[in-house]
């Protein structure tokens, strides 16, 4: 089944998402936006999602390498049962970002997170796909497709 794709523009960047997802750009969770699968009917109240957080790094002048090392340390200390599964640098044409995949416990659920870290103009853009671990692998493909459409408009 072919999806129609929509575009969310936020000034200096954009991201696309299929019509099977709903967008929440209210900011009430601290994220700039969240995408939720419309068919998500998790009985525990948790909704799988893709979100973006933006962090100002201008006071610390942190590059991508340093940001990744700080994040890896935080996974070990701040995520209950946090375990790093993957850490990969990606360079495509003029685009460079880092992928981290980790697992841990959140609200007594085994979770898995797939993240892209982008840094541009002293700002970190963290795109995160969050799922209960047992559902992660079969939902990973569409989540990766959505996150891969993230681009800066310059």
């Amino acid at each position: 089944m072919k999806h129609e794709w929509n575009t969310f523009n936020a000034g200096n960047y954009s991201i696309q998402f299929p019509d099977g997802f709903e967008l929440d750009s209210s900011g009430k969770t601290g994220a700039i936006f969240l995408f939720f699968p419309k068919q998500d009917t998790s009985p525990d109240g948790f909704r799988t999602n893709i979100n973006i957080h933006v962090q100002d790094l201008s006071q610390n002048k942190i590059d991508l390498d340093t940001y990744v090392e700080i994040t890896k340390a935080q996974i070990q200390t701040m995520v209950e049962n946090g375990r790093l599964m993957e850490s990969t640098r990606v360079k495509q044409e003029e685009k460079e970002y880092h992928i981290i995949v980790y697992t841990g416990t959140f609200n007594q659920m085994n979770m898995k997170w797939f993240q892209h870290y982008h840094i541009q103009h002293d700002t970190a853009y963290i795109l995160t796909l969050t799922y209960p671990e047992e559902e992660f692998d079969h939902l990973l493909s569409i989540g990766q497709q959505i996150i891969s459409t993230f681009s800066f408009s310059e």
Side-chain angles (χ1 to χ4, degrees):
M1 180 173 156
K2 188 173 182 195
H3 292 285
E4 293 295 319
W5 286 73
N6 305 293
T7 301
F8 175 73
N9 290 301
N12 63 332
Y13 64 87
S14 65
I15 189 166
Q16 297 177 355
F17 61 100
D19 57 7
F21 281 71
E22 63 184 79
L23 169 67
D24 176 354
S25 58
S26 68
K28 62 185 172 192
T29 64
I32 303 297
F33 66 75
L34 293 130
F35 296 119
F36 298 102
K38 290 180 180 176
Q39 301 301 320
D40 187 6
T41 57
S42 181
D44 53 26
F46 178 82
R47 294 186 73 191
T48 58
N49 68 85
I50 297 168
N51 65 69
I52 187 169
H53 284 82
V54 177
Q55 186 176 6
D56 180 2
L57 304 175
S58 62
Q59 298 299 312
N60 301 315
K61 301 293 183 193
I62 294 174
D63 64 7
L64 186 56
D65 291 329
T66 304
Y67 195 85
V68 167
E69 290 309 312
I70 291 168
T71 300
K72 285 179 180 179
Q74 289 175 336
I75 290 167
Q76 301 299 314
T77 60
M78 299 177 76
V79 177
E80 184 180 346
N81 301 315
R83 196 172 114 214
L84 183 65
M85 306 297 289
E86 178 185 341
S87 178
T88 307
R89 182 63 52 96
V90 178
K91 294 180 183 180
Q92 298 173 328
E93 299 166 11
E94 296 179 22
K95 184 173 159 179
E96 182 177 7
Y97 57 94
H98 201 92
I99 297 172
I100 285 189
V101 179
Y102 61 99
T103 60
T105 305
F106 178 75
N107 287 344
Q108 301 176 344
M109 294 179 3
N110 293 329
M111 302 295 289
K112 197 166 190 179
W113 292 267
F114 173 85
Q115 295 185 313
H116 275 207
Y117 303 110
H118 298 260
I119 293 184
Q120 186 171 34
H121 307 302
D122 294 324
T123 303
Y125 299 84
I126 305 97
L127 290 99
T128 305
L129 168 65
T130 307
Y131 289 114
E133 193 170 12
E134 65 274 3
E135 297 177 22
F136 188 84
D137 292 330
H138 79 275
L139 297 171
L140 181 60
S141 177
I142 189 67
Q144 287 176 321
Q145 288 177 45
I146 293 169
I147 289 175
S148 73
T149 67
F150 178 83
S151 64
F152 293 104
S153 30
E154 304 223 33

